[in-house]
Amino acid sequence: NMANCCGLLTAQKEPVPLKSVEVELDVRDHVATVVSTLNYENKEDKPLEAVFVFPLPGDAAVCHFSAKIGQTQIVAEVKEKQEARQKYDDALSSGQQAFLLEESEQSPDIFSLSVGSLPPGESASIRLEYVTELAVQADDGLRFCLPAVLNPRYQPQGSGGSGGGSVQVTSVPASLVPYSLSFSARVSSPHPISKVESHCSLDPLQYLNTEQTQATVKLAAGHKFDRDVELLIYYKDAHQPTAVVEAGQASAKPGTLMGDPVVMLSLYPEFCQAVMSSVSSCGEFVFLLDRSGSMDCATNNSKQQETRIGSARDTLLLLLKSLPMGCYFNIYSFGSSYEHIFSKSVEYSQKTMEEALKKVEQMGADLGGTEILEPLKHIYSQSCIPSQPRQLFVFTDGEVGNTKEVINLVKKNSGSHRCFSFGIGEGASSALINGLAKEGGGHAQFITGTDRMQPKVMQSLRFALQPAVEDISVTWDLPKGVSITVLSPPITTIFQGQRSLVYAQLTGQSSEAAEGCVMVKYSLAGHPSQNQLHFSLKPAENSGLTVHRLAARTLIRSLEMEEREDRGEQDGGVKKKVVELSVQSGVSSSFTAFIAVNKGDGEAIQGSLVRRDVPTPMYRRMMITPCCLMASAVPDITACDYNLIMENDLENDLGLSEEYEEAWSDNDLFAEEDQIAMPKQPRRDPLLQLVSLQKASGCWVLDPALAAALGKTSEEVENIKPSAVNQEVWATILALIWLHGFKMDAQEEWELLAMKAVSWLRAQNG
């Protein structure tokens, strides 16, 4: 048992010191501040040294940390990292209580918090605030998810110092978790709020004004810790740009980032469908896959030991099935050397697709190191195919020694292609992944923790199938006396379904009309577009500092990247700037840490330290893990479900005509009493099994393999086929029914290949 060998104790044997968690969420348009308070109690008769490990969402920044032990209140300050560690060690060795919070060396999105000595019987309350940008979902909702793993780790003195590096996470059934959660949210935006949803039960939304631009909502009592706590927030006119102006901090100096007002511009455009569809069926798709040894690692810390290379093979299957007829493609793989499937890109057909998939199935993590420069040079040396824009997809899990050289090569070729990059696992270099996408005019994705690779890659394929947006400009027009400093990197790409946030500092005073104007221009497939937005320069009152802190975080991240790329070639000026900005804004960075020391009476705390562990509730990530990952059999499809699915989804959503109505209306293929039997040893995930049978044209063939994928016998599938419907049409309808019936939770993964199937059906129907 893993738990025992690490000396971690479960809830059954020992009381758990976390008592309650309180969370307040303040949403301002597309960004939010999260304030969490965690209450602990040491029920041991010995003092404890606790380490609190806090996995942050990727886009978050910690901006406040304080603690209360008994009657003593301690507030942390941001200090340069070495200085903070030194202070922490000094305090502990003189018997004082100390708290240290820093970004972990391995990953900036895991914070480890050393809580120091907690005396027997004493309570501690910790308050942690962070700011984050909210992700946009495909249905235009903004998603906030509460990090579910608020888990302290106890560390005996002398076991690896204060870094909190060797963290073990144990899981117990949710019913044994002896702590409670209260969660409330306040939402405000220039646009009216149309609704707030969650798969946890919420109390009704309360509007605070008649315009419905402000509202509050809270989690209903009795939360069981058996699922993620997430909110989906929907605004009216989601695709119209907005500008939010936030007042500076009264105590900060005017002219500094924290002292001046900051404006946040959010862009989430919707493109004209006619232009979008005119170009989506062409392109040269080149996939470049890392096959270095580390790709054999498990994709995440879950029990199902899927490797990164295995996940990449499954992803390539979905990609190849989703490509449009008439496009061109090739697959390269690299390690210390590189290979390609075809000597140059070939036209996509049943034959070339099958040949590529055979080779993909044999790909292992067996090519050694991570030498990405040579295969890139080879790809760029191939001449482009007329009217087939080149789209490059790069998958890697490592760092390279020559990041700058690689990014410069992509930049040099940026006129002839777009580059979409995927960083797999915690070790992927963000400088490399972000740099490839930025210079290649594409989009970067990071796949870490329990993320599934497939939905993220399919989102990028949807972006790659869109025409390039060119000549993007953002110009500001402000009254005399007011100047603007843009803090965000310039926008180089815009995709349908992707939101861009621009932060800018407003300096100076204007005596005239306090209104600013921003103009966003771009050109899409030769069609120019422009959007003008007027906004009040008068900041909203009592609006907090969410926008300022995210603006500081954006600038800090850009400077950190600059510093990494220079590898210390400069005189430390960039680092000094980051530390200064971090201290001023209270936003942590890779060069700073939060430190708080309770000077107390200086008495050393008596007794030896004990190590304890707080359980993480085991919950199924309903929203994330498709049911195909569960070992359970495929659910029954009843005749009633079947008619419903076909009539609603296929006819309405997919726009199929009524000619196929008879093909399903009197059907009993999936009747009530039928149990869909899974093969004794399922060869692979049922979704991938079905997808692997689809032809390049988009259709399926009525054969024993399809029947098996649907959990039926050949006779059952063929006997009830209406005589007027041909076999491939029937097979394709059945596959679409199954996808809509059981795989809606993985729809992002199969949506493009289902659309291809529907186009094929329409073509058969003339």
Side-chain angles (χ1 to χ4, degrees):
N1 182 334
M2 271 291 288
N4 292 343
C5 73
C6 302
L8 304 175
L9 303 166
T10 61
Q12 288 89 322
K13 295 183 190 153
E14 296 291 344
V16 175
L18 178 62
K19 292 193 297 188
S20 64
V21 184
E22 293 150 31
V23 180
E24 290 168 24
L25 173 69
D26 185 17
V27 177
R28 307 259 303 134
D29 202 25
H30 285 245
V31 298
T33 293
V34 182
V35 179
S36 57
T37 308
L38 301 114
N39 298 304
Y40 298 94
E41 185 180 4
N42 178 7
K43 295 183 176 173
E44 306 290 335
D45 50 11
K46 298 188 177 73
L48 294 172
E49 152 119 348
V51 172
F52 171 70
V53 172
F54 186 72
L56 272 172
D59 284 344
V62 170
C63 55
H64 172 91
F65 169 60
S66 61
K68 193 174 177 192
I69 296 184
Q71 294 310 303
T72 315
Q73 178 79 23
I74 307 167
V75 178
E77 296 165 0
V78 176
K79 297 264 185 232
E80 193 278 326
K81 201 170 255 188
Q82 283 316 111
E83 190 189 331
R85 282 181 187 164
Q86 190 58 51
K87 252 180 121 172
Y88 177 75
D89 291 341
D90 292 350
L92 275 194
S93 56
S94 63
Q96 297 172 348
Q97 281 152 333
F99 296 78
L100 180 74
L101 180 68
E102 60 184 323
E103 297 190 2
S104 93
E105 297 296 332
Q106 293 79 23
S107 165
D109 50 8
I110 294 188
F111 275 81
S112 54
L113 158 60
S114 302
V115 182
S117 306
L118 185 57
E122 195 64 88
S123 293
S125 165
I126 288 172
R127 180 180 162 106
L128 184 80
E129 289 185 30
Y130 67 89
V131 286
T132 185
E133 297 180 350
L134 302 181
V136 185
Q137 305 295 98
D139 64 356
D140 303 339
L142 293 177
R143 179 172 184 263
F144 168 76
C145 189
L146 189 65
V149 200
L150 295 174
N151 290 321
R153 296 280 165 272
Y154 298 125
Q155 210 176 10
Q157 259 172 345
S159 70
S162 62
S166 58
V167 174
Q168 302 294 332
V169 176
T170 54
S171 288
V172 297
S175 57
L176 294 181
V177 178
Y179 40 84
S180 60
L181 170 72
S182 71
F183 175 77
S184 63
R186 182 191 166 104
V187 183
S188 70
S189 165
H191 290 313
I193 301 152
S194 52
K195 59 180 175 175
V196 176
E197 292 179 347
S198 174
H199 59 283
C200 298
S201 44
L202 300 175
D203 289 345
L205 187 68
Q206 305 282 327
Y207 287 108
L208 303 179
N209 60 4
T210 47
E211 299 81 24
Q212 301 194 333
T213 55
Q214 293 181 15
T216 59
V217 67
K218 61 176 196 271
L219 192 64
H223 176 62
K224 293 190 190 67
F225 287 94
D226 58 348
R227 61 193 62 194
D228 284 356
V229 173
E230 68 164 16
L231 285 188
L232 293 165
I233 300 162
Y234 297 86
Y235 296 132
K236 293 195 174 107
D237 307 320
H239 292 282
Q240 293 303 314
T242 57
V244 171
V245 179
E246 187 178 81
Q249 208 170 5
S251 58
K253 209 165 89 212
T256 62
L257 187 139
M258 294 309 286
D260 280 343
V262 168
V263 60
M264 173 181 73
L265 170 69
S266 74
L267 301 173
Y268 182 46
E270 192 164 36
F271 302 144
C272 155
Q273 270 324 104
V275 177
M276 294 293 287
S277 53
S278 63
V279 269
S280 63
S281 61
C282 55
E284 177 197 5
F285 296 88
V286 181
F287 304 106
L288 177 57
L289 175 65
D290 186 340
R291 281 172 60 191
S292 59
S294 54
M295 288 289 285
D296 242 346
C297 295
T299 40
N300 57 41
N301 31 22
S302 71
K303 296 219 168 37
Q304 280 139 348
Q305 285 306 308
E306 186 181 31
T307 59
R308 292 169 182 173
I309 192 79
S311 194
R313 283 194 299 262
D314 291 348
T315 304
L316 278 170
L317 168 69
L318 286 169
L319 282 166
L320 288 176
K321 296 289 182 174
S322 302
L323 291 179
M325 292 296 278
C327 75
Y328 285 72
F329 79 104
N330 200 355
I331 298 172
Y332 283 71
S333 53
F334 69 95
S336 305
S337 58
Y338 70 91
E339 298 175 359
H340 41 72
I341 290 184
F342 305 106
S343 56
K344 58 177 193 184
S345 292
V346 294
E347 188 168 353
Y348 178 72
S349 67
Q350 184 62 25
K351 181 173 170 293
T352 55
M353 181 190 80
E354 276 178 1
E355 191 179 333
L357 283 171
K358 273 201 189 80
K359 298 258 177 72
V360 166
E361 270 180 26
Q362 292 155 10
M363 284 181 178
D366 49 13
L367 291 183
T370 311
E371 298 293 332
I372 196 171
L373 197 63
E374 290 310 311
L376 278 174
K377 283 180 178 168
H378 190 269
I379 290 166
Y380 294 138
S381 72
Q382 308 266 336
S383 50
C384 289
I385 303 162
S387 71
Q388 299 281 357
R390 180 174 286 168
Q391 317 282 353
L392 174 62
F393 283 61
V394 179
F395 300 82
T396 177
D397 71 344
E399 295 223 10
V400 294
N402 52 356
T403 299
K404 261 178 125 165
E405 218 180 324
V406 171
I407 290 172
N408 286 337
L409 180 65
V410 173
K411 187 175 185 174
K412 201 173 107 192
N413 291 279
S414 60
S416 62
H417 83 305
R418 284 193 292 187
C419 180
F420 295 85
S421 56
F422 305 90
I424 304 165
E426 273 69 14
S429 156
S430 59
L432 175 68
I433 301 301
N434 287 325
L436 288 172
K438 179 173 172 256
E439 298 303 346
H443 184 64
Q445 300 264 23
F446 290 89
I447 298 139
T448 58
T450 52
D451 294 345
R452 274 173 59 74
M453 190 185 295
Q454 290 86 333
K456 293 196 168 191
V457 176
M458 299 314 286
Q459 182 193 35
S460 289
L461 177 59
R462 276 193 280 280
F463 287 168
L465 288 166
Q466 297 176 15
V469 173
E470 290 161 332
D471 309 324
I472 303 167
S473 70
V474 178
T475 46
W476 301 82
D477 182 14
L478 296 162
K480 214 170 153 197
V482 180
S483 65
I484 192 155
T485 311
V486 178
L487 307 168
S488 305
I491 298 178
T492 51
T493 56
I494 297 178
F495 294 108
Q496 168 99 324
Q498 184 191 26
R499 184 266 326 270
S500 308
L501 295 177
V502 178
Y503 299 97
Q505 179 180 341
L506 297 165
T507 308
Q509 293 288 317
S510 160
S511 49
E512 295 134 53
E515 190 177 70
C517 173
V518 59
M519 170 84 81
V520 181
K521 291 184 183 174
Y522 56 84
S523 151
L524 173 71
H527 298 255
S529 165
Q530 63 174 41
N531 242 316
Q532 198 170 3
L533 174 69
H534 291 270
F535 60 95
S536 165
L537 291 176
K538 187 172 181 287
E541 284 169 26
N542 310 326
S543 55
L545 290 167
T546 309
V547 173
H548 277 74
R549 287 174 171 146
L550 283 164
R553 201 270 328 245
T554 300
L555 193 49
I556 285 169
R557 288 281 187 261
S558 299
L559 291 168
E560 282 173 341
M561 194 173 277
E562 197 179 308
E563 207 270 344
R564 269 199 302 274
E565 285 167 6
D566 291 335
R567 298 264 174 195
E569 284 166 28
Q570 297 196 346
D571 54 3
V574 177
K575 179 178 172 181
K576 186 168 171 267
K577 216 165 165 182
V578 170
V579 171
E580 205 174 280
L581 196 56
S582 179
V583 169
Q584 186 197 20
S585 63
V587 170
S588 56
S589 71
S590 54
F591 303 122
T592 52
F594 281 99
I595 174 77
V597 175
N598 176 10
K599 307 250 176 341
D601 53 10
E603 285 288 303
I605 294 167
Q606 298 303 306
S608 58
L609 288 156
V610 191
R611 179 174 177 139
R612 286 283 174 272
D613 189 5
V614 174
T616 316
M618 262 189 300
Y619 54 86
R620 279 164 45 170
R621 286 180 166 255
M622 305 295 183
M623 303 299 282
I624 299 167
T625 312
C627 53
C628 54
L629 289 188
M630 306 304 168
S632 59
V634 177
D636 285 353
I637 310 183
T638 63
C640 159
D641 294 337
Y642 173 51
N643 291 338
L644 208 67
I645 291 160
M646 288 307 295
E647 285 165 17
N648 295 349
D649 286 326
L650 292 189
E651 210 179 330
N652 304 346
D653 295 2
L654 305 177
L656 281 185
S657 72
E658 290 171 25
E659 306 222 354
Y660 294 122
E661 183 113 19
E662 64 180 276
W664 64 76
S665 57
D666 302 319
N667 207 304
D668 61 352
L669 169 61
F670 301 112
E672 299 277 358
E673 65 277 3
D674 278 351
Q675 187 71 32
I676 292 190
M678 280 293 280
K680 291 262 186 316
Q681 290 280 302
R683 188 176 63 85
R684 67 200 308 184
D685 168 330
L687 171 62
L688 295 175
Q689 199 178 335
L690 182 69
V691 168
S692 67
L693 300 172
Q694 190 186 24
K695 300 293 176 197
S697 61
C699 72
W700 273 266
V701 175
L702 198 62
D703 62 9
L706 175 70
L710 298 172
K712 292 287 167 190
T713 63
S714 300
E715 291 72 33
E716 285 175 311
V717 169
E718 285 169 26
N719 288 351
I720 40 70
K721 181 183 78 64
S723 53
V725 176
N726 90 27
Q727 296 215 335
E728 289 182 354
V729 166
W730 181 237
T732 306
I733 287 175
L734 291 181
L736 288 169
I737 289 172
W738 190 86
L739 289 170
H740 277 79
F742 306 123
K743 292 295 164 194
M744 287 307 284
D745 51 1
Q747 189 176 6
E748 289 173 308
E749 299 175 31
W750 53 258
E751 197 168 33
L752 288 169
L753 59 91
M755 281 160 65
K756 187 157 81 162
V758 171
S759 300
W760 180 85
L761 280 174
R762 285 197 187 128
Q764 307 314 300
N765 201 26

